[in-house]
Amino acid sequence: MGLEPGNPDGIHLQGVPLADITSIPTFAFNVAGKTTAMTNINDYIGFNTRVMPHVPVTDSDVVFVGCLS
C-alpha cells in the first residue's frame, strides 16, 4: 500500500503505557463501637480501577446484593 509511518519518530509502532492493578481490599463495619471485619471474596468483592497506591474510603454507602442462607 505504500503507507508512511504516522508517528513523529518515523516508525510504525506506537508506545502505550500500561498499568498493573493488584487490589487487596480490606472492609469492616463499625456499629456502636463493635467492629466486624469482612473477608474479601467470601463476604464482599472489592475492586478499584484507579492507578494509585492507596484509595481510602472512610464513609460510603453499602448495597446488599444476594441472599442470606
Side-chain angles (χ1 to χ4, degrees), residues 4 13-14 16 20 27-28 31 34-35 37-38 40 42-43 46 57-58 67 69:
E4 296 294 322
L13 301 176
Q14 179 180 3
V16 178
D20 180 28
F27 184 59
V31 178
K34 181 181 177 189
T35 300
M38 308 302 270
N40 188 28
N42 293 329
D43 298 327
V57 178
T58 56
C67 64
S69 57

Side-chain angles (χ1 to χ4, degrees), residues 41-64:
I41 303 300
N42 293 329
D43 298 327
Y44 74 100
I45 297 182
F47 65 92
N48 182 21
T49 57
R50 295 176 66 188
V51 182
M52 297 177 67
H54 182 249
V55 180
V57 178
T58 56
D59 187 18
S60 182
D61 295 332
V62 175
V63 177
F64 173 77

